[in-house]
Amino acid sequence: SSPPPLYQFDEPPLLVEVEHLDLKPGSEVEDVLEAQGESITDIVGKEAWVDNDPALYDGLVPQNNEWTEFVDEKTGEWVYMDEFGQRIEKPAA
């Protein structure tokens, strides 16, 4: 799927070079930080995180920060999804 259109951002995207970093794909952030000697006291909101299947969002362009409103790239129709990535009817305003 393509990235969101630039008109959705207030500022140009930030590019960060990471080739020089010792990355650990798939690792939990707190594990990486602890390995670097950082102490973790609390992680706010982790219990509410939902790991949705990225395939649910293929061809959809997000239209809000909550990732619940999208435009279908092929049809141009609006698509609404809940926090679990399931398609729903348009929510009442």
Side-chain angles (χ1 to χ4, degrees):
S1 157
S2 60
L6 292 178
Y7 68 81
Q8 293 184 342
F9 300 99
D10 296 329
E11 300 174 356
L14 176 67
L15 301 177
V16 179
E17 293 184 16
V18 295
E19 289 80 16
H20 65 287
L21 300 175
D22 183 22
L23 300 179
K24 299 178 179 18
S27 299
E28 294 290 329
V29 172
E30 58 268 24
D31 295 337
V32 174
L33 290 173
E34 285 177 353
Q36 295 175 357
E38 302 291 336
S39 61
I40 309 299
T41 56
D42 192 16
I43 301 172
V44 178
K46 183 176 180 182
E47 67 281 353
W49 178 259
V50 179
D51 192 16
N52 292 344
D53 181 3
L56 297 171
Y57 301 92
D58 281 348
L60 300 178
V61 180
Q63 300 296 310
N64 65 351
N65 290 338
E66 294 79 22
W67 279 58
T68 57
E69 298 178 1
F70 304 86
V71 171
D72 188 306
E73 287 180 323
K74 293 179 183 166
T75 66
E77 294 178 2
W78 281 82
V79 175
Y80 301 92
M81 299 175 93
D82 63 15
E83 65 271 15
F84 304 108
Q86 303 303 312
R87 292 183 183 225
I88 59 173
E89 294 295 319
K90 181 179 179 179

